[in-house]
Amino acid sequence: MMTIHSDSTNPNSARLELSARLDRDCVNIGGGSVRYLVINAKAPVDQAPAQTARQPLNLGLVIDASGSMSGPPLEAAKSAAMGVIESLRPSDHLSVVSFGTQALMHLDGVRMDELGQQAAARAIRPLSSRDSTDLCAGWLMGCECVARRQAAAQRTARNHVILLSDGHANQGECNPEVLKRHAHELRQRGVLTSTVGIGTGYSPVQLQAIAEAGGGRMHDAERPEEIIEIVLAELSETLCTTVESLELDLQLPPGVKAEVYGTAHSTRSDDRFNVLLGSMTSGAKRNLVIKLTFQAGFQDQRMPLKVAARWRSPGGTAVLSCSPLDLEFRYAPAAACVSQSRDQETARTVAEQWHAHIMHRTMTLNQDGQFEAAEEFAQRESRYFEKYCKGLPGMEQFTRELDRFAPSAGVLYQVSDAKEVLLRSYKSSRGEEDRRSVKRGGYEAFMPPQPPQTTP
Amino acid sequence: MAPEDLSLQELADQTGLEPRTIRSYVERGILPGPQSMGRGARYPRESLDRLRVLNLIRDAKRDVSLDKIRLLLQQLSPGQIRDLAEGKVRIGALVDTDEPTSQPPERSAALEYLHRIGVSSPARQVAAPLFQSDAVNSPVWPADPGLSEEVSRLEQVATALAGLVGRTSSSRPVRGERWYRIPLTPDIELAVRGEFEAEQIAQLHRIGDALRVLLTRGVSK
């Protein structure tokens, strides 16, 4: 086992604490060893008292006003927008866009002084629902408002878009990969996006793609009354974010395969492996588990691994980094590998992330209509998972859930149940809290009923 | 003219950069200017080395600002730049610096990206309620108890604007003089001619905000 810590050393920068652990550091000379790297990041705590002047916020609120939002959901979204207006300060700017078939701009970077707040309230009040859903057009128009204000601003500000939608995008650009690319490019340019999914019957694929690559967060607000609390919670999280666009760079030993457990976006180029973790709020912790698969090697051969992190402070002026962490694997005969003990805490973190990974990946395949692949993946991973958890206390619920989940993975899940499984596993893999005040049951509450047991 | 001098197009072909991008690098002091002007302008060989190094830096580390690259290049001799360009020296040594590692992207970069992918808000996309709400048959500037207050505020804005502009420039347009533009709504902008200090620009923005509120108020009632 090996644990390495690092933190940013520049006194002028926010201190991000980074540590990395291996569940085991011996790998089999015969090849095929799987080892887990657990990276933990802890965001710096915002020391400023709540009442002191904070960084200005340049906020874009994008509201789905399509036909499916008519009635209580849209009224709740408008109430949430009113709540946002009341929460903003005179140094903040607000843009409001709604979208149906067409995107409409209601407010373009208006300063939230008294007059501005009045103007914003007047702009939001008459908002009404209309026809189909061009989510992409609405979102990008909201980004444009924020970017325009960003370009004109004399002071640095947090530039953030909150997109509220029931997720039934059926017009314009709907491809999650394209939305992801736009979100990524805009994040790189300082405009971040968080998303709030509304209602029961939506697929979070598009909203997750935008939030994940956009460096923000994804929330769910199933009931109209939850929309207000979720939007205000997101606003609060945006304001207490201390790390933006956190990326981890791994320099891997040659021939080692890497796979992220969870939903974090990753890319590989030669021996470099990059993972985007996005934003973190003050003092938040995040675990990332990376599965590493090794080729054969020579006894006592050393395999170095380097982990580095870079990020920005919100609206900050520089890309920050901390001292890279150095870890090492060592090749040994199979017997030595088998007898090697593993760190229980690390193994537990691996199990938690792995469980969320299986649930999320399986449900994504299920909702994509790839039933055979979903079932095969769930069955195979569940077997490995159970084997890994042997001797690890407190894992019974995870294994029970997977035992029940895997056989049902080949049958199409209802959208509302699938959404809960996807959202729960997404939040779990990111260590984020479910902000909904009405708590839902465990995973099993969203699985099909078990067939009655037959006695032989 | 040295035999190894290159045209703008040759530089573009050999570096994969757009000619206009290369021109912007000249303007920003990253590259020396051409040896001669006009269509046959030739650039010194050092320009090619500098562009190659710039590409290598950007490949090695995203988000390194042009200002940072310019500073890095200023600290190197032509020989060192050539060694880097030809891979004799590893580029990582240049960019593996402690934090802060780079400057943030240009502030308008997000807007440029959105315009590049075709996002631009023409007037027709502005919210219908602003133009067609229940005031569709009413005068644009509705009479209500708050009107006198807003007219008074508009007068204050106009006075502030006149004061600001009066302090900064002559009334006659001068060729090449700068216009400062602040979008108010997608189809209305405030354009002011002159050179402004940061404080004056901030004041212009406050005026723009007030005008925007007045405009929004006027048409949304």
Side-chain angles (χ1 to χ4, degrees):
Chain A
M1 281 70 62
M2 186 183 290
T3 305
I4 306 284
H5 295 268
S6 176
D7 61 23
S8 48
T9 49
N10 187 332
N12 296 321
S13 74
R15 291 173 69 87
L16 176 109
E17 293 173 27
L18 188 72
S19 65
R21 314 191 296 272
L22 304 170
D23 68 335
R24 284 177 285 182
D25 56 8
C26 255
V27 291
N28 188 352
I29 51 175
S33 289
V34 172
R35 296 292 178 262
Y36 296 96
L37 166 65
V38 176
I39 301 170
N40 178 264
K42 185 180 175 200
V45 175
D46 188 357
Q47 303 287 358
Q51 297 308 314
T52 58
R54 58 162 171 75
Q55 203 173 28
L57 176 66
N58 171 19
L59 180 69
L61 206 52
V62 179
I63 301 173
D64 185 343
S66 59
S68 52
M69 283 282 289
S70 67
L74 184 58
E75 289 310 310
K78 285 160 64 175
S79 298
M82 293 295 188
V84 167
I85 291 168
E86 284 171 19
S87 307
L88 297 178
R89 297 181 181 182
S91 55
D92 300 327
H93 287 77
L94 177 68
S95 302
V96 178
V97 166
S98 74
F99 62 92
T101 305
Q102 197 179 30
L104 300 174
M105 184 197 305
H106 300 272
L107 215 60
D108 185 9
V110 171
R111 183 188 291 276
M112 285 292 100
D113 56 13
E114 197 181 338
L115 274 175
Q117 288 187 329
Q118 288 168 9
R122 276 194 303 272
I124 287 165
R125 226 170 271 134
L127 235 170
S128 57
S129 62
R130 48 189 196 272
D131 43 58
S132 32
T133 313
D134 192 344
L135 180 143
C136 184
W139 166 54
L140 291 179
M141 185 185 277
C143 292
E144 189 194 12
C145 292
V146 169
R148 192 160 37 231
R149 182 69 232 163
Q150 179 196 31
Q154 295 300 302
R155 290 177 64 191
T156 53
R158 295 165 193 254
N159 305 295
H160 205 100
V161 173
I162 302 177
L163 167 63
L164 287 82
S165 174
D166 66 3
H168 292 290
N170 53 16
Q171 200 177 339
E173 184 58 69
C174 301
N175 183 345
E177 289 305 313
V178 177
L179 297 174
K180 192 186 274 186
R181 193 172 67 241
H182 291 329
H184 169 83
E185 294 294 337
L186 288 164
R187 178 183 62 77
Q188 294 279 52
R189 291 161 173 81
V191 177
L192 278 65
T193 302
S194 290
T195 60
V196 179
I198 292 172
T200 54
Y202 72 89
S203 159
V205 174
Q206 290 157 329
L207 296 180
Q208 186 185 315
I210 292 173
E212 192 80 57
R217 291 160 287 268
M218 180 179 72
H219 305 275
D220 175 71
E222 187 177 307
R223 301 172 179 143
E225 66 271 18
E226 287 175 336
I227 297 174
I228 303 165
E229 65 193 40
I230 292 293
V231 170
L232 293 179
E234 168 55 27
L235 180 65
S236 160
E237 288 189 349
T238 301
L239 292 173
C240 70
T241 293
T242 53
V243 168
E244 279 183 1
S245 293
L246 173 60
E247 288 183 49
L248 298 176
D249 277 316
L250 273 68
Q251 192 174 347
L252 296 169
V256 174
K257 285 185 195 165
E259 181 191 358
V260 170
Y261 276 177
T263 59
H265 179 68
S266 63
T267 53
R268 175 151 194 174
S269 168
D270 300 326
D271 62 340
R272 300 272 175 168
F273 191 69
N274 175 274
V275 186
L276 170 66
L277 293 185
S279 297
M280 292 179 73
T281 55
S282 172
K285 289 179 185 170
R286 174 118 186 233
N287 283 322
L288 180 77
V289 171
I290 298 174
K291 175 186 173 187
L292 301 168
T293 309
F294 290 79
Q295 293 179 337
F298 305 104
Q299 184 159 352
D300 295 328
Q301 184 186 349
R302 306 281 168 165
M303 300 285 271
L305 173 78
K306 201 182 274 288
V307 181
R310 56 198 156 98
W311 69 96
R312 289 194 190 127
S313 20
T317 56
V319 174
L320 306 171
S321 62
C322 57
S323 318
L325 309 174
D326 289 301
L327 298 106
E328 192 177 69
F329 291 94
R330 178 173 51 84
Y331 274 101
C337 292
V338 170
S339 65
Q340 186 185 205
S341 64
R342 64 181 177 184
D343 178 59
Q344 295 279 300
E345 192 193 335
T346 307
R348 186 184 304 276
T349 306
V350 171
E352 285 165 3
Q353 293 284 317
W354 191 356
H355 177 266
H357 177 72
I358 297 170
M359 301 300 279
H360 197 278
R361 176 78 188 133
T362 303
M363 192 51 77
T364 304
L365 290 167
N366 179 283
Q367 292 297 289
D368 197 34
Q370 300 182 54
F371 302 119
E372 275 182 30
E375 192 169 351
E376 189 194 340
F377 175 80
Q379 299 278 17
R380 185 184 67 239
E381 291 292 314
S382 299
R383 278 198 305 276
Y384 290 137
F385 181 82
E386 200 164 333
K387 197 173 160 194
Y388 187 82
C389 288
K390 271 200 180 126
L392 204 58
M395 295 290 114
E396 297 77 16
Q397 189 184 340
F398 282 169
T399 48
R400 193 178 62 238
E401 281 171 345
L402 287 176
D403 279 348
R404 198 171 148 202
F405 182 56
S408 71
V411 180
L412 179 64
Y413 265 62
Q414 284 184 11
V415 174
S416 55
D417 290 338
K419 183 205 75 176
E420 276 298 330
V421 172
L422 287 169
L423 185 87
R424 191 170 291 258
S425 48
Y426 169 85
K427 290 275 180 197
S428 175
S429 71
R430 294 169 61 95
E432 286 178 4
E433 195 184 332
D434 184 351
R435 294 287 190 165
R436 299 175 297 188
S437 55
V438 180
K439 298 301 173 201
R440 276 66 169 175
Y443 280 111
E444 288 176 283
F446 307 100
M447 292 178 195
Q450 278 183 307
Q453 297 287 324
T454 52
T455 49
Chain B
M1 191 193 311
E4 68 267 38
D5 287 354
L6 298 111
S7 70
L8 183 63
Q9 192 56 50
E10 285 168 336
L11 280 180
D13 291 344
Q14 292 191 41
T15 58
L17 295 163
E18 293 279 333
R20 65 180 173 178
T21 306
I22 297 172
R23 278 198 210 96
S24 76
Y25 290 163
V26 173
E27 285 166 13
R28 299 192 63 157
I30 291 167
L31 293 186
Q35 310 283 35
S36 58
M37 302 304 284
R39 289 175 66 87
R42 306 290 289 179
Y43 290 76
R45 159 71 204 223
E46 192 197 332
S47 297
L48 179 61
D49 294 335
R50 281 174 172 258
L51 289 173
R52 283 180 172 155
V53 172
L54 185 148
N55 279 345
L56 287 169
I57 291 173
R58 283 263 159 104
D59 288 346
K61 207 156 193 128
R62 284 178 291 172
D63 295 337
V64 181
S65 75
L66 288 176
D67 284 342
K68 174 93 177 174
I69 293 172
R70 181 169 51 78
L71 286 173
L72 287 170
L73 291 173
Q74 276 172 2
Q75 293 162 11
L76 300 170
S77 69
Q80 287 171 315
I81 291 174
R82 177 162 291 194
D83 286 347
L84 283 163
E86 292 174 357
K88 291 177 186 165
V89 178
R90 201 175 67 85
I91 204 78
L94 258 189
V95 293
D96 285 346
T97 52
D98 285 333
E99 59 181 290
T101 50
S102 68
Q103 296 299 311
E106 305 267 333
R107 277 188 181 166
S108 59
L111 198 56
E112 283 169 12
Y113 173 76
L114 287 162
H115 290 173
R116 201 168 69 229
I117 61 170
V119 177
S120 178
S121 307
R124 66 178 174 79
Q125 288 177 311
V126 173
L130 293 181
F131 294 103
Q132 299 168 5
S133 64
D134 52 2
V136 69
N137 295 318
S138 310
V140 167
W141 197 263
D144 68 15
L147 178 61
S148 59
E149 185 194 327
E150 290 187 350
V151 169
S152 160
R153 187 165 171 82
L154 185 59
E155 284 170 354
Q156 288 172 22
V157 170
T159 307
L161 191 57
L164 185 63
V165 174
R167 288 206 306 271
T168 56
S169 69
S170 69
S171 58
R172 286 174 62 83
V174 179
R175 190 180 173 82
E177 199 165 29
R178 188 177 170 205
W179 282 88
Y180 199 83
R181 296 173 191 278
I182 299 171
L184 299 180
T185 69
D187 52 350
I188 302 176
E189 68 175 18
L190 172 66
V192 188
R193 180 163 53 85
E195 296 295 329
F196 298 99
E197 301 294 330
E199 190 189 337
Q200 292 169 320
I201 290 172
Q203 197 178 347
L204 272 177
H205 278 280
R206 284 197 292 275
I207 291 169
D209 288 342
L211 279 171
R212 191 180 295 114
V213 170
L214 285 164
L215 287 166
T216 312
R217 166 84 174 102
V219 294
S220 64
K221 283 286 284 189

